[in-house]
């Protein structure tokens, strides 16, 4: 089908031989690497019928290998909730990236907007996605967005935002390097767009002799003693310890409407309640 803008090949996904080849490739990776899930890229651009066919074949093949709960996450970078809804819980997709909340939450998490934006964003997600809100993949940054932490921002800002990512409703996704406080190459809060590329120089090597480095990734960054890694480990341990932080219903307790300030919410699961104050 020629080029998919700006510079990618667009598969003829409506052709059986193309579908068979894609299925064969995914099966090979599952078998060779023993992964427990797969990310399906740019699902909104796939040919009609390809996504359910691909996810069904993946599930059946994984089950034949003993993987009864193989996880399939779809990538749809739309900032409109209603455009994401049709993919979640249907066509064989277990989860999708929560780009809509990411775009709504980013300024408030940086202290550049009122924290009521966070509560309104959450309520909008819950209103549109309903019980599937908890299946959304919550993230602060990924390979196609600018890294959360800007050049001169204090590391405490990322520590706070990580708590939000790990404790708020959804499945937390932590992009590699975030746990080592990698910083973006520009000074940007707005989403990627036509004026700046969607691959914003944030796929650095973490190993010392890597060719592709940024100022914040210089050296050996597999450091389990760094302050950011230790905080991430602490937060992850809390999430693991308290079922309410993984499965609980979320209730907003406080949000400032006049500007940056406190954001507090509870997660309640059974007779257990955890109060999170940011």
């Amino acid at each position: 089908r020629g080029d998919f803008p700006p510079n990618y090949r667009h598969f003829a996904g409506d052709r059986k031989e193309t579908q068979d080849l894609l299925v064969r490739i995914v099966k090979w990776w599952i078998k060779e690497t023993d992964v427990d899930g797969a990310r399906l890229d740019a699902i909104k651009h796939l040919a009609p019928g390809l996504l359910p066919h691909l996810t069904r074949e993946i599930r059946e093949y994984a089950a034949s290998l003993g993987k009864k709960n193989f996880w399939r996450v779809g990538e749809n970078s739309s900032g409109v909730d209603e455009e994401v809804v049709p993919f979640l819980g249907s066509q064989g997709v277990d989860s999708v990236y929560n780009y809509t909340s990411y775009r709504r939450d980013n300024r408030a998490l940086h202290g550049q907007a009122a924290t009521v934006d966070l509560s309104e964003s959450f309520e909008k997600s819950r209103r549109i996605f309903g019980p599937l809100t908890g299946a959304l993949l919550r993230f602060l940054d990924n390979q196609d967005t600018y890294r959360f932490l800007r050049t001169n921002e204090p590391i405490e800002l990322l520590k706070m935002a990580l708590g939000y990512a790990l404790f708020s409703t959804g499945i937390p996704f932590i992009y590699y390097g975030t746990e080592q406080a990698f910083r973006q190459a520009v000074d940007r809060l707005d989403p990627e767009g036509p004026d700046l590329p969607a691959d914003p120089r944030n796929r650095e090597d973490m190993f010392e002799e890597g060719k592709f480095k940024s100022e914040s990734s210089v050296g050996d960054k597999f450091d389990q003693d760094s302050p950011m890694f230790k905080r991430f480990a602490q937060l992850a341990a809390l999430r693991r310890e308290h079922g309410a932080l993984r499965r609980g219903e979320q209730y907003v307790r406080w949000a400032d409407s006049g500007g940056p300030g406190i954001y507090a919410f509870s997660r309640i699961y059974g007779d257990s309640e955890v109060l999170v104050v940011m």
Side-chain angles (χ1 to χ4, degrees):
R1 292 291 182 264
D3 283 346
F4 175 71
N7 52 11
Y8 305 105
R9 294 293 183 258
H10 193 175
F11 290 128
D14 55 330
R15 297 177 58 180
K16 184 179 184 302
E17 54 267 47
T18 304
Q19 296 182 7
D20 292 344
L21 181 57
L22 290 172
V23 168
R24 178 183 173 189
I25 290 171
V26 177
K27 287 181 178 179
W28 186 89
W29 280 106
I30 295 173
K31 183 175 184 296
E32 292 296 318
T33 64
D34 195 32
V35 292
D36 296 312
R39 173 187 183 272
L40 304 172
D41 189 43
I43 55 177
K44 66 179 179 180
H45 299 293
L46 297 181
L50 174 55
L51 183 59
H53 173 69
L54 187 60
T55 54
R56 182 177 64 254
E57 291 286 335
I58 290 174
R59 182 184 67 249
E60 292 176 355
Y61 180 72
S64 73
L65 299 178
K67 299 176 182 292
K68 306 299 184 182
N69 194 27
F70 194 84
W71 196 58
R72 296 149 299 174
V73 55
E75 188 266 351
N76 182 345
S77 61
S78 172
V80 180
D81 297 87
E82 290 81 359
E83 293 179 359
V84 179
V85 169
F87 294 99
L88 184 59
S90 65
Q91 303 192 64
V93 175
D94 301 304
S95 178
V96 294
Y97 285 72
N98 194 350
Y99 265 94
T100 54
S101 289
Y102 159 74
R103 300 184 195 284
R104 292 192 295 258
D105 299 346
N106 198 37
R107 284 189 173 275
L109 290 175
H110 281 86
Q112 301 297 315
T115 55
V116 73
D117 287 3
L118 298 176
S119 63
E120 291 177 351
S121 174
F122 171 70
E123 293 300 338
K124 184 173 183 179
S125 290
R126 184 159 58 182
R127 184 171 66 253
I128 294 175
F129 290 98
L132 293 176
T133 305
L136 297 171
L137 204 68
R138 182 177 294 281
F139 63 93
L140 301 175
D141 47 24
N142 64 33
Q143 81 287 345
D144 282 335
T145 70
Y146 300 101
R147 288 201 178 272
F148 178 86
L149 204 58
R150 295 187 294 174
T151 302
N152 296 315
E153 287 180 323
I155 194 173
E156 284 74 19
L157 198 65
L158 177 57
K159 290 180 178 179
M160 180 275 301
L162 265 181
Y164 178 71
L166 284 163
F167 296 159
S168 190
T169 298
I171 301 171
F173 166 84
I174 308 300
Y175 182 50
Y176 86 88
T178 299
E179 84 288 355
Q180 299 295 344
F182 283 8
R183 297 173 183 267
Q184 59 179 258
V186 295
D187 187 29
R188 188 175 173 95
L189 288 180
D190 294 326
E192 73 290 347
D195 57 326
L196 284 174
D199 299 340
R201 292 170 55 197
N202 66 351
R203 306 181 184 189
E204 309 97 316
D205 297 323
M206 294 186 71
F207 49 93
E208 189 167 5
E209 301 301 326
K211 179 180 178 181
F212 300 99
K213 307 291 286 187
S214 67
E215 290 185 6
S216 58
S217 67
V218 172
D220 179 3
K221 291 299 181 180
F222 295 97
D223 184 4
Q224 296 187 29
D225 291 321
S226 69
M228 194 65 245
F229 186 92
K230 287 183 175 180
R231 172 56 63 90
F232 171 57
Q234 290 171 343
L235 296 174
L238 281 171
R239 177 183 168 87
R240 186 167 55 248
E241 179 182 353
H242 298 283
L245 291 175
R246 301 192 304 275
R247 299 182 174 88
E249 291 292 329
Q250 182 165 325
Y251 301 91
V252 177
R253 301 304 191 190
W254 184 269
D256 283 312
S257 59
I262 291 175
Y263 180 56
F265 58 91
S266 289
R267 300 291 304 277
I268 300 177
Y269 183 64
D271 58 358
S272 174
E273 176 175 357
V274 177
L275 176 66
V276 180
V277 182
M278 298 163 47

